[in-house]
């Protein structure tokens, strides 16, 4: 249903654009010469596009261009894409191999599947493969002057601000906040009962993230208000937003209003901190104190609106990823409970004997069994189906079969963590939940570079990876020490229609309080 709704939305968008541009279609008898010219423009454009696709050169560099997945001119690729990315990638890879191109409207998307052809995707500089052009649909949500609305030099400095806020000393402080939130959250549970684990973990993730990232003032006094606006921002990120981020639809209007209100709220918090001379150990404070080091902005601070934008970006990057990954880890462990639940509980007992009952940075770093379980859930269920870049400088790739291709400037290149994580030549029995595949001696993810890209990799590996693992470990360690969980029904299906891929439908589990002692 969402797929057909999206198709209808695209059709409506096309019609809405003609209306928004003031182009109306009068009755045939009333057509004037200017009307004919206006009506002819789309026909000419469409004809030019078709001619371009039919007469395109076969090579623009040292090697041939990648083969094109067959389909109807202009619209065929778009329909295939909307039919489901995984089905599309499966079809293209089986028919054409590891490297192939899909025509989507006037764009060309070239897929790179497998570790043999993806190293440049992850290693390339922003001047060679750029993120800005393919992720600019985030600008209305994040705001002007941040992330994908700036050039790569300014973006690199802003990413340094993120990195500074996620250093080891900060992490140790954040863990204390996470534990406090977990204790308060789980104290509200009954002695036994049933919950939707996705819903509950999502609630807890947003609480811990808001405390660590958005600040004490927001968490203690403004959480419900800010959460509502973040929800409107979230709902404003529709599939159609990728193609038409400024389309005048209700979801976008709510998104824009929410973004304006969040800017106002955070500006008030920032100005109050500055007036009182108060500094807090959170990401908000880190952004307040940040200064550009080079270029025309050297020495300058972020504006209040830019701080708001970076905080929104940080929460968007982490909230869904952590909530979905913690949910899949819990569900997968429970689906294999006889094997993995006892091992995880025994690990907690061993750590408690060595470090006591406190959950801290040092004790979390010793939870290797739990780490493997999280990583394996992330391998099977990476939150993003595709990663994208825009080609600024042509490059060559060679497949495992020895076929070489030149990827020209102007192509969008895509790779799929989901599909790459299921390559049989890398991961044995790839559809099986087997955390021991990451154990010393096996380490299947190290067979080839970038075989595991659950958090991206290379130059654009996720800076929040450590934060996410510590956050998920903290919450799961607390559950393992205080509850016994049981699955209800079978493992949920995967919702591949969602922007961020999670379980489809409810995720019920039963719980019963049980204190682990040593």
């Amino acid at each position: 249903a969402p797929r057909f709704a999206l198709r209808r939305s695209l059709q409506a968008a096309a019609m809405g654009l003609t209306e928004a541009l003031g182009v109306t279609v009068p009755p045939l008898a009333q057509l004037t010469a200017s009307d004919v010219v206006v009506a002819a423009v789309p026909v000419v454009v469409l004809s030019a596009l078709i001619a371009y696709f039919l007469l395109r050169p076969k090579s623009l560099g040292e090697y041939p261009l990648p083969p094109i997945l067959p389909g109807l001119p202009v619209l065929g690729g778009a329909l295939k894409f909307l039919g489901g990315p995984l089905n599309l990638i499966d079809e293209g890879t089986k028919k054409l191999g590891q490297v192939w191109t899909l025509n989507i409207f006037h764009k060309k998307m070239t897929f790179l599947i497998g570790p043999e052809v993806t190293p440049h995707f992850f290693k390339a500089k922003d001047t060679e493969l750029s993120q800005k052009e393919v992720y600019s649909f985030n600008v209305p949500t994040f705001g002007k002057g941040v992330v994908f609305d700036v050039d790569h030099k300014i973006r690199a400095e802003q990413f340094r601000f993120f990195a500074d806020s996620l250093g080891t000393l900060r992490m140790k402080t954040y863990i204390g906040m996470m534990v406090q939130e977990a204790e308060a959250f789980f104290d509200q549970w009954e002695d036994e009962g049933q919950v939707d684990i996705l819903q509950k973990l999502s609630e807890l993730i947003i609480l811990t993230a808001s405390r660590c990232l958005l600040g004490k003032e927001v968490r203690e006094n403004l959480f419900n208000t800010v959460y509502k606006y973040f929800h409107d921002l979230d709902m404003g990120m529709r599939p159609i937003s990728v193609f038409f981020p400024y389309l005048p639809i209700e979801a976008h209007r709510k998104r824009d209003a929410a973004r304006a209100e969040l800017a106002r709220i955070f500006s008030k918090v920032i100005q109050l901190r500055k007036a009182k001379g108060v500094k807090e150990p959170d990401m908000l404070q880190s952004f307040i104190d940040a200064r550009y080091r080079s270029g025309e902005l050297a020495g300058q601070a972020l504006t209040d609106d830019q701080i708001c934008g970076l905080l929104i970006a940080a929460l968007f990057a982490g909230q869904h990823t952590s909530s979905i990954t913690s949910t899949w880890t819990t569900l997968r462990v429970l689906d294999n409970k006889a094997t993995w639940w006892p091992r995880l509980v025994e690990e907690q007992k061993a750590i408690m004997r060595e470090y006591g009952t406190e959950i801290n940075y040092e004790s979390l770093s010793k939870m290797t069994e739990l780490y493997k379980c999280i990583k394996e859930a992330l391998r099977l269920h990476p939150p993003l189906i595709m990663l994208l870049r825009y080609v600024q400088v042509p490059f060559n790739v060679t497949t495992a079969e020895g076929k070489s291709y030149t990827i020209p400037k102007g192509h969008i290149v895509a790779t799929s963590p989901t599909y790459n994580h299921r390559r049989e030549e890398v991961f044995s029995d790839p559809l099986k939940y087997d955390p021991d595949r990451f154990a010393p001696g096996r380490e299947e993810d190290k067979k080839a570079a970038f075989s595991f890209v659950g958090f991206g990799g290379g130059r654009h590996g996720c800076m929040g990876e450590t934060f996410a693992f510590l956050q998920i470990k903290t919450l799961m360690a607390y559950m393992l020490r205080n509850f016994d969980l049981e699955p209800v029904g079978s493992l949920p299906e995967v919702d591949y229609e969602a922007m961020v891929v999670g379980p489809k439908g409810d995720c019920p589990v039963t719980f019963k309080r049980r204190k682990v002692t040593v």
Side-chain angles (χ1 to χ4, degrees):
R3 181 166 70 248
F4 296 125
L6 176 55
R7 290 176 185 171
R8 289 194 296 271
S9 298
L10 286 170
Q11 295 165 354
M15 293 186 289
L17 285 173
T18 60
E19 182 178 344
L21 291 171
V23 180
T24 57
V25 181
L28 186 61
Q30 299 177 19
L31 285 176
T32 65
S34 60
D35 292 329
V36 173
V37 172
V38 170
V41 169
V43 177
V44 172
V45 172
L46 183 60
S47 300
L49 286 171
I50 293 174
Y52 173 76
F53 289 126
L54 294 178
L55 301 176
R56 64 189 290 271
K58 302 301 180 184
S59 177
L60 291 175
E62 183 178 358
Y63 298 107
L65 297 176
I68 294 179
L69 187 65
L72 294 173
V74 184
L75 294 178
L79 295 177
K80 285 180 180 290
F81 188 84
L82 296 177
L86 272 190
N87 291 333
L88 165 67
I89 295 170
D90 192 55
E91 177 189 352
T93 304
K94 287 179 178 177
K95 285 183 178 179
L96 302 174
Q98 291 181 271
V99 182
W100 47 275
T101 297
L102 179 73
N103 293 324
I104 303 181
F105 299 121
H106 63 296
K107 300 288 186 181
K108 295 186 177 299
M109 181 178 289
T110 295
F111 287 81
L112 308 174
I113 304 299
E116 297 84 3
V117 295
T118 53
H120 186 71
F121 182 96
F122 293 107
K123 292 180 179 179
K125 300 176 182 177
D126 266 338
T127 52
E128 298 169 329
L129 294 181
S130 173
Q131 292 181 307
K132 179 179 179 180
E133 289 79 0
V134 292
Y135 293 128
S136 59
F137 63 86
N138 288 292
V139 171
T141 301
F142 298 164
K144 295 288 186 179
V146 296
V147 195
F148 301 118
D149 188 54
V150 296
D151 64 36
H152 69 277
K153 292 181 180 179
I154 296 176
R155 186 162 59 251
E157 290 244 39
Q158 292 179 352
F159 283 175
R160 176 177 58 79
F161 300 158
F162 281 111
D164 291 345
S165 70
L166 297 171
T168 301
L169 292 178
R170 292 270 187 178
M171 288 294 186
K172 292 182 177 181
T173 303
Y174 293 159
I175 290 167
M177 300 175 184
M178 294 174 190
V179 172
Q180 290 177 3
E181 292 290 349
E183 289 174 343
F185 184 83
F186 287 116
D187 278 350
Q188 300 176 35
W189 286 25
E190 303 292 336
D191 288 339
E192 57 183 291
Q194 179 173 309
V195 295
D196 181 333
I197 198 66
L198 173 59
Q199 176 188 344
K200 292 301 178 183
L201 288 178
S202 297
E203 292 173 3
L204 182 51
I205 290 292
I206 191 67
L207 289 171
T208 58
S210 65
R211 179 64 185 88
C212 299
L213 308 183
L214 307 185
K216 181 174 69 174
E217 301 92 338
V218 170
R219 173 65 188 93
E220 294 180 357
N221 304 309
L222 298 166
F223 177 76
N224 289 334
T225 301
V226 169
Y227 180 79
K228 174 189 177 299
Y229 290 134
F230 268 106
H231 177 74
D232 287 345
L233 282 182
D234 199 12
M235 293 298 100
M237 190 71 75
R238 300 299 179 88
I240 198 172
S241 307
V242 176
F243 301 102
F244 307 107
Y246 298 98
L247 194 68
I249 59 176
E250 183 64 18
H252 289 170
R253 283 190 283 270
K254 286 186 176 181
R255 173 201 66 193
D256 296 342
R259 177 61 177 78
E261 283 301 309
L262 285 171
R264 183 186 62 79
I265 290 171
F266 280 108
S267 182
K268 186 175 181 180
V269 171
I270 292 166
Q271 294 306 316
L272 193 59
R273 278 195 187 184
K274 290 179 177 178
K276 291 183 177 181
V278 173
K279 289 183 179 287
E280 294 289 343
D282 49 43
M283 183 175 281
L284 171 59
Q285 188 64 50
S286 184
F287 289 160
I288 293 172
D289 296 337
R291 297 293 184 274
Y292 288 99
R293 290 179 182 172
S294 60
E296 60 184 26
L297 298 179
Q300 292 187 28
L302 293 162
T303 67
D304 291 355
D305 189 75
Q306 289 167 351
I307 290 173
C308 176
L310 292 180
L311 288 172
I312 291 171
L315 199 63
F316 262 67
Q319 174 195 354
H320 291 300
T321 301
S322 293
S323 61
I324 286 173
T325 302
S326 58
T327 298
W328 277 124
T329 304
T330 303
L331 293 173
R332 283 289 187 172
V333 167
L334 292 179
D335 195 49
N336 298 269
K337 185 173 183 180
T339 301
W340 282 102
W341 190 270
R343 286 176 63 171
L344 294 178
V345 170
E346 285 303 313
E347 179 178 63
Q348 292 301 314
K349 289 181 178 180
I351 289 171
M352 291 167 69
R353 282 191 289 268
E354 184 175 356
Y355 293 94
T357 58
E358 182 183 0
I359 297 176
N360 54 36
Y361 187 86
E362 288 71 26
S363 63
L364 289 170
S365 67
K366 299 295 183 180
M367 298 181 189
T368 56
E369 295 286 281
L370 182 53
Y371 173 79
K372 290 188 301 182
C373 288
I374 298 169
K375 189 172 181 177
E376 176 67 344
L378 194 57
R379 182 190 69 83
L380 285 168
H381 306 288
L384 298 178
I385 293 179
M386 292 195 307
L387 305 176
L388 305 173
R389 302 283 187 271
Y390 181 83
V391 180
Q392 299 283 11
V393 178
F395 65 99
N396 301 326
V397 294
T398 301
T399 68
E401 293 79 22
K403 296 179 180 178
S404 296
Y405 302 101
T406 293
I407 315 300
K409 180 179 179 179
H411 275 216
I412 295 170
V413 285
T415 191
S416 171
T418 305
Y419 204 85
N420 287 339
H421 287 177
R422 300 179 184 188
R423 304 279 292 180
E424 292 184 353
E425 62 270 30
V426 177
F427 298 105
S428 60
D429 199 0
L431 298 182
K432 179 182 178 182
Y433 183 73
D434 181 12
D436 279 333
R437 71 174 74 247
F438 299 113
R442 285 183 64 182
E443 296 174 310
E444 294 179 358
D445 58 316
K446 295 183 179 179
K447 288 181 181 178
F450 307 112
S451 295
F452 178 85
V453 287
F455 280 99
R459 289 181 178 270
H460 295 292
C462 178
M463 288 178 297
E465 178 177 354
T466 300
F467 179 90
F469 268 111
L470 290 174
Q471 185 182 36
I472 297 168
K473 277 185 177 181
T474 298
L475 307 186
M476 294 207 63
Y478 191 91
M479 287 196 297
L480 287 162
R481 294 182 182 192
N482 292 277
F483 295 96
D484 184 44
L485 302 181
E486 292 287 347
V488 177
S490 57
L491 195 69
E493 295 181 11
V494 183
D495 186 5
Y496 288 119
E497 301 286 354
M499 292 284 282
V500 181
V501 181
K504 182 179 291 186
D506 296 335
C507 304
V509 302
T510 60
F511 67 88
K512 187 173 184 179
R513 289 191 181 274
R514 173 201 41 79
K515 194 81 169 177
V516 169
T517 57
V518 294

